[in-house]
Amino acid sequence: MNILGIETSCDETSAAIVQDGTHLLAQVTASQIDLHARFGGVVPEVASRQHVVDITRVVEQVFLDANMTWSNIDAIAVTCGPGLLGSLLVGVSAAKGYALATGKPLVGVHHIAGHVAAAMLASDGGTGATPPFLCLVVSGGHTELLSVDAEFRFTRLGGTRDDAAGEAYDKVARLLGLAYPGGPKVDDLAHRGRPDAFLFPRALLEDDSFDFSFSGLKSAVNNEIVKRRNRGQAVLVEDVCASFQAAVIEVLVEKTKRAAVHTGARTIVVAGGVAANRGLREAMSQLAKELSISAMFPPIELCTDNAAMIAAAAYPRAKQGRWSPLSLNAYAQLSLVDWQDGNWPDVVQIVPNL
Ligand code: KG4
Ligand code: ZN
């Protein structure tokens, strides 16, 4: 079964064709990073307008790269939430248009289910992760600890109570005057600094909680920078990055360890944009070794937003013929558990005010 995936939830316009949920045949992604960098973050209206410009050529190019036509496609998968509403609407409208024009069935996909499914794609000749596994999703918008069962169903163990891990990276990068997106830059600088230069707080919350909190850490970094600058002391950016990264990783690893012990997981999967972080990958591999279980990470290029993961996440549904209607909507907020149970928010009827 070949599924065309479309992802436009934030600032990447991406299309991919995936076979049987595991084999990526082709993927084309138009990144908007340069467009938003000068504003220091994603500007939603600018993002949705650029998706409109890019979507058709990205989809046409993926067919050329895969050497395929619509006759080779069995279903269309599209991210329908959560994300930036205007951006999501471009992808959902395009997917519905293609479905209507070609008669191919449609699957609306939850963005986080996509990040999890990225780990299920085969890469480098090897196979991807197969559920059941414990999954930590760490991205710019989410930090979620999920138990993923054999049917590709999710139990939410915990998540962030304030900032997402990637958001904390981007905010700290901004405090340090680093360009957007800050995560990869902080990662690079961290490898050249001393992780024990500053003792930043580790919010571990209650003993029995799998939740996270990163806003206190971000404030602590800010306070330290301001304090030093006010005293006329130099702030060594590499040391701040290394100490901040050490604090983030320690909390992510500790919570994942508790969840792995609690659920008896045999495999830990780390997914989402922050899963590209080298320090986090090393620390999670070390944790898996300590627990005598395995750790898996999607290939780096499939950690950040992409359409292959959306097509992969649609496959278990498509196999069962669980299609979305052509009235599929885009949702800025969408609970993962509601999505998998089919309890989607009602379509709001907008009555014109005559
Ligand atoms: O998954 P993603 O592409 O978008 C969302 O769904 O949010 O994740 C983007 C996030 C950004 O916050 C970015 O700074 C972070 O992932 N990120 C990283 C790294 N690469 C991307 N954070 C830390 N280290 C990295 N190497
Ligand atoms: Zn994402």
Side-chain angles (χ1 to χ4, degrees), residues 200-317:
F200 291 134
R202 277 82 165 140
L204 288 169
L205 309 173
E206 307 81 30
D207 284 350
D208 59 350
S209 165
F210 300 116
D211 282 346
F212 302 87
S213 167
F214 292 109
S215 68
L217 172 59
K218 175 196 66 192
S219 304
V221 173
N222 184 42
N223 293 345
E224 191 62 43
I225 294 172
V226 170
K227 193 172 78 188
R228 295 204 153 227
R229 283 187 184 147
N230 285 347
R231 286 190 197 144
Q233 291 173 315
V235 178
L236 202 58
V237 174
E238 288 84 351
D239 282 352
V240 176
C241 291
S243 303
F244 161 76
Q245 179 151 306
V248 173
I249 291 176
E250 192 176 314
V251 171
L252 292 176
V253 168
E254 177 59 29
K255 291 282 168 161
T256 306
K257 181 178 178 176
R258 289 183 192 176
V261 171
H262 175 78
T263 58
R266 304 302 311 149
T267 306
I268 302 169
V269 165
V270 188
V274 183
N277 187 281
R278 283 172 293 157
L280 180 61
R281 290 169 99 96
E282 279 161 26
M284 286 293 182
S285 301
Q286 192 53 43
L287 170 66
K289 214 185 227 175
E290 186 190 314
L291 298 177
S292 302
I293 61 178
S294 54
M296 292 193 71
F297 313 92
I300 300 266
E301 64 281 8
L302 297 180
C303 285
T304 47
D305 291 348
N306 66 84
M309 67 186 200
I310 301 303
Y315 180 65
R317 257 159 205 262

Side-chain angles (χ1 to χ4, degrees), residues 5 8 32 42 71 126 137 140-141 172 190 206 236 244 249 278 285 332 341 351:
T8 64
Q32 302 180 3
V42 177
S71 65
V137 182
V172 163
E206 307 81 30
L236 202 58
F244 161 76
I249 291 176
R278 283 172 293 157
S285 301
D341 291 339
V351 182

Side-chain angles (χ1 to χ4, degrees), residues 28-236:
V28 178
T29 303
S31 168
Q32 302 180 3
I33 282 184
D34 294 345
L35 197 61
H36 299 287
R38 75 185 112 136
F39 302 110
V42 177
V43 182
E45 186 57 26
V46 173
S48 37
R49 283 166 191 258
Q50 193 60 37
H51 284 308
V52 174
V53 172
D54 289 333
I55 186 74
T56 314
R57 74 174 177 88
V58 163
V59 171
E60 284 172 359
Q61 189 61 46
V62 86
F63 277 105
L64 291 175
D65 289 2
N67 199 17
M68 284 182 162
T69 65
W70 280 104
S71 65
N72 304 110
I73 298 297
D74 299 293
I76 302 167
V78 63
T79 312
C80 60
L84 300 173
L85 192 56
S87 294
L88 288 163
L89 276 168
V90 178
V92 168
S93 306
K96 284 159 67 171
Y98 288 126
L100 189 64
T102 62
K104 306 290 176 187
L106 189 66
V107 187
V109 175
H110 193 286
H111 184 75
I112 298 300
H115 275 301
V116 176
M120 291 153 68
L121 283 158
S123 65
D124 293 336
T127 55
T130 37
F133 52 73
L134 175 70
C135 188
L136 174 71
V137 182
V138 267
S139 73
H142 301 269
T143 304
E144 300 277 330
L145 252 176
L146 307 165
S147 178
V148 183
D149 80 19
E151 250 75 71
F152 195 48
R153 286 183 59 84
F154 309 91
T155 305
R156 186 176 185 273
L157 302 169
T160 185
R161 293 186 187 170
D162 40 57
D163 292 352
E167 191 180 352
Y169 265 93
D170 294 338
K171 285 179 175 169
V172 163
R174 211 171 162 157
L175 290 173
L176 294 168
L178 304 172
Y180 172 84
K185 294 182 185 73
V186 173
D187 188 10
D188 282 345
L189 290 164
H191 286 269
R192 287 185 259 140
R194 291 179 302 135
D196 56 354
F198 304 97
L199 186 61
F200 291 134
R202 277 82 165 140
L204 288 169
L205 309 173
E206 307 81 30
D207 284 350
D208 59 350
S209 165
F210 300 116
D211 282 346
F212 302 87
S213 167
F214 292 109
S215 68
L217 172 59
K218 175 196 66 192
S219 304
V221 173
N222 184 42
N223 293 345
E224 191 62 43
I225 294 172
V226 170
K227 193 172 78 188
R228 295 204 153 227
R229 283 187 184 147
N230 285 347
R231 286 190 197 144
Q233 291 173 315
V235 178
L236 202 58

